[in-house]
Amino acid sequence: MTETRVRPERPGDPTALMVAGTAERLIRLWAGRTELYHPGWGRPVRQLGDLLPAQDVEFAAHNPQMVPLLWYPALRHGSRARPVVEVFDHLPAERGPPLPRRQELSRVYSWALASRTAVEWIADRLDGRGLLEVGAGSGYWAWLLRARGLDVLATDVEARTERNGFTDSFRYTEVRPGRAAEDAAAHPGRVLALLWPPHRDPMAAETLRADRGPGLLYLGDRPGGMCADPAFFAEIAAHWRPVSHCPLTLRWLGNRDTATFCTRR
């Protein structure tokens, strides 16, 4: 069967016309936000669907988080072996109808953008082992990984309540109630996953101290960024060794999140 690569239509696609020719306007808009990180300035602004590998475009076309984003403006930089693709979270208002913003999409799906490259990379890192995702929120990543055939145990302290401030009470798959550190201690045979652990919260550090598992999958920001607290990164530096990074970094523009797999020192 011949693979069909999904692409936004040209030149009649109105969203493509909105993106076309807006590079300078977008850069002026975003360059004024000094709290954000912009390593890709100077690169051409393109539709996201033009900047992803074929397998990730096909994956996005069937992934509810990513379907609308194929037409969002994006930048690509980094090396050929490890590209970084960053997605603008909106267009200037005068360029057309408003697009769903990062905050809105993240609360429905996940704070990290998903790709087939990332899912396959995680599967390779697990090498048949089970995964424990704590703080799993809506269960979106657990749903994607389970669809890949992986053994994922997902837990969240707010799994049975409507009080989760990080989601809009959506559930994509089973997320069991549980406390992160206790769950990590109870499942030493599973690789631990922390995907965008909450900012300035001791949960991630406490979970690492309690964990006795064989590996750590961390998808999130760097020290001083929007994930976890300084104690978490101190734990990683003291007791963990990064051994692999996802070969594609797909993230919202201005963030610095990456996916890293670590083993114990």
Side-chain angles (χ1 to χ4, degrees), residues 57-97:
V57 175
E58 191 276 334
F59 175 85
H62 300 89
N63 175 342
Q65 179 196 38
M66 296 299 299
V67 167
L69 297 189
L70 284 174
W71 288 270
Y72 275 48
L75 295 167
R76 178 172 171 142
H77 56 96
S79 67
R80 179 172 296 182
R82 286 185 56 194
V84 178
V85 179
E86 301 191 295
V87 185
F88 286 78
D89 119 313
H90 69 289
L91 289 169
E94 66 269 23
R95 297 300 298 176

Side-chain angles (χ1 to χ4, degrees), residues 164-205:
N164 194 326
F166 300 99
T167 74
D168 281 337
S169 302
F170 284 80
R171 288 285 184 274
Y172 293 92
T173 189
E174 180 189 21
V175 178
R176 298 182 185 179
R179 297 187 176 277
E182 295 175 4
D183 293 338
H187 297 279
R190 291 180 176 267
V191 171
L192 175 65
L194 287 161
L195 311 183
W196 269 84
H199 187 214
R200 297 176 180 173
D201 192 300
M203 180 272 277

Side-chain angles (χ1 to χ4, degrees), residues 140-151:
Y140 190 71
W141 275 84
W143 174 61
L144 293 173
L145 295 171
R146 285 171 176 165
R148 171 60 175 73
L150 303 179
D151 174 13

Side-chain angles (χ1 to χ4, degrees), residues 35 162 230:
E35 76 278 12
E162 302 300 316

Side-chain angles (χ1 to χ4, degrees), residues 101-123:
R101 301 288 292 270
R102 169 184 179 266
Q103 187 81 5
E104 301 165 28
L105 291 170
S106 296
R107 292 177 64 85
V108 173
Y109 300 106
S110 165
W111 295 86
L113 295 179
S115 69
R116 176 166 290 163
T117 296
V119 169
E120 294 300 326
W121 172 79
I122 291 171

